[in-house]
Amino acid sequence: MIIKTEGITKAFKSLVAVDHVDLSIDEGEIFGLLGPNGAGKTTLLSMLATLLRPTEGTAMINGFDVIKQPGHVRRSIGMVFQAPSSDDLLTGWENLYLHALMFGVPAEVRRERIDEVLTLVDLKDRANDRVKTYSGGMRRRLELARGLLHKPKILLLDEPTLGLDPQTREHIWEYIERLAREGRVTILITTHYMEEADRLCDRVAVIDHGKIIALDSPANLKMQIGKSMIKAKVKEPNLEKIRALPYVSKVEAKDGDVSIVLSEVGAHIQEVLCNLGDASFVELREPTLNDVFLQLTGKEIRAEGAESLEERYTRATGK
């Protein structure tokens, strides 16, 4: 266990951004915090990184207390922020050299380490170019390199692929998987991308309004929904007939949009559709983490993404 929180809480006056969160994360694990903007993910990460002091509770990072031993915690972690923080006027190499100085990387291995992380993120051929000439994906890879330069045991990634194109996102995912697999780096990642959490994470904590509302592997979380789902658009659905079928575990309907959770869909789909009514659209798919969030909260992650923590603070305080 390399990360452990006990009742960690952060309140901004009447707004509780993180609400008594308990977590235990093992060494070498890729652990995800999945939730909408404003759910408290970044605030939790900031407390673990000693950038914010908890209002209540505490956390242990690599055996060090975030309140009593912040210096030891900072030497144990690397962090990639949601917004790029590299200096645009410096080259990629210069940014890494400056970071190496700040983190006390020994002079005799400084250049070797910089070359090593630049190679890892495929930026060695652009090392001497100013960062302002980098694409968004290249900047994100440089941020990853900087977070790894002092060889931390733990890497904190705040929305690491936000705003990136699908191809660049895939490359970043490959880097993250390789770090955990080959380097035994423990990775804590915040995201509101269901695909990202599903692909990368050994376990996921679903967070909403500062509280952990579910925690398990992506596969187990989706198993809670059911093995398969049918989405259909039906003007006058025969819901009672569908609910009476023994293999149907859940039926929801709103404005003609029907969602059916069932087992052994291949054997039963024809009977379901025959009983459902005249459908203008039918989709068969496996449950997603967004379906998990929908079941737990009654809303989709995408629908919740518009309100940031700052907007919640303004609404709560009137400032």
Side-chain angles (χ1 to χ4, degrees):
M1 191 183 304
I2 198 165
I3 299 175
K4 184 175 178 62
T5 73
E6 293 182 350
I8 196 164
T9 301
K10 185 63 182 178
F12 301 94
K13 294 189 176 179
S14 62
L15 172 64
V16 181
V18 175
D19 193 355
H20 296 88
V21 167
D22 296 324
L23 285 178
S24 297
I25 301 173
D26 294 329
E27 186 175 3
E29 186 174 13
I30 302 179
F31 190 95
L33 292 171
L34 177 66
N37 294 337
K41 306 186 303 295
T42 298
T43 302
L44 177 54
L45 222 62
S46 297
M47 288 190 287
L48 298 181
T50 74
L51 299 174
L52 284 177
R53 187 180 179 88
T55 307
E56 294 180 43
T58 190
M60 300 294 290
I61 307 293
N62 192 30
F64 302 114
D65 189 295
V66 296
I67 297 174
K68 298 176 182 177
Q69 301 165 294
H72 291 291
V73 171
R74 289 170 187 164
R75 284 189 286 274
S76 299
I77 65 171
M79 185 161 185
V80 176
F81 297 93
Q82 191 173 135
S85 55
S86 298
D87 192 317
D88 282 0
L89 298 180
L90 298 179
T91 67
W93 194 93
E94 288 167 341
N95 267 283
L96 294 177
Y97 186 78
L98 182 62
H99 185 81
L101 290 175
M102 290 191 294
F103 270 78
V105 176
E108 61 271 19
V109 297
R110 206 171 285 152
R111 292 178 181 274
E112 179 185 339
R113 290 267 187 92
I114 292 172
D115 286 345
E116 185 180 316
V117 294
L118 283 169
T119 301
L120 175 68
V121 298
D122 294 334
L123 282 178
K124 198 164 184 183
D125 60 337
R126 296 293 302 272
N128 295 318
D129 294 342
R130 289 190 178 186
V131 171
K132 67 179 181 180
T133 68
Y134 285 13
S135 67
M138 291 171 63
R139 286 181 181 226
R140 185 58 77 186
R141 281 150 50 198
L142 181 65
E143 300 279 335
L144 277 171
R146 191 179 64 179
L148 293 166
L149 186 59
H150 58 291
K151 292 197 172 180
K153 288 191 172 184
I154 301 158
L155 188 60
L156 307 179
L157 305 178
D158 192 10
E159 300 279 3
T161 63
L162 184 66
L164 299 182
D165 62 87
Q167 183 177 11
T168 304
R169 184 176 296 161
E170 178 71 27
H171 289 159
I172 296 294
W173 290 349
E174 290 173 0
Y175 296 139
I176 292 171
E177 288 172 327
R178 196 162 73 211
L179 286 172
R181 183 175 64 250
E182 298 176 7
R184 293 294 295 167
V185 178
T186 303
I187 298 173
L188 177 56
I189 178 172
T190 76
T191 184
H192 64 270
Y193 294 134
M194 282 70 67
E195 184 186 3
E196 185 162 79
D198 209 351
R199 157 78 181 266
L200 290 177
C201 298
D202 301 304
R203 288 187 300 149
V204 171
V206 181
I207 185 168
D208 188 36
H209 294 293
K211 290 180 177 288
I212 301 295
I213 56 176
L215 196 162
D216 212 325
S217 68
N220 286 343
L221 286 172
K222 290 183 291 184
M223 283 283 288
Q224 295 175 18
I225 300 294
K227 294 183 179 178
S228 299
M229 299 183 72
I230 294 175
K231 297 270 189 178
K233 197 162 192 68
V234 187
K235 280 189 177 181
E236 297 180 359
N238 299 317
L239 298 180
E240 294 309 314
K241 283 188 177 181
I242 299 301
R243 289 192 177 103
L245 297 172
Y247 46 81
V248 171
S249 57
K250 187 174 181 181
V251 179
E252 291 183 344
K254 184 178 180 181
D255 300 327
D257 292 319
V258 182
S259 175
I260 304 166
V261 178
L262 70 161
S263 59
E264 299 180 4
V265 65
H268 301 302
I269 186 170
Q270 186 173 355
E271 184 179 4
V272 169
L273 295 179
C274 288
N275 282 284
L276 183 59
D278 189 13
S280 60
F281 168 81
V282 176
E283 178 189 16
L284 173 64
R285 62 180 176 82
E286 296 300 307
T288 67
L289 290 175
N290 193 55
D291 295 319
V292 174
F293 191 82
L294 178 62
Q295 184 186 58
L296 293 169
T297 67
K299 51 192 176 275
E300 294 188 0
I301 289 180
R302 294 188 189 93
E304 279 289 280
E307 186 180 50
S308 66
L309 181 61
E310 289 78 9
E311 289 167 329
R312 285 176 57 203
Y313 176 75
T314 300
R315 177 167 54 79
T317 62
K319 294 183 179 181

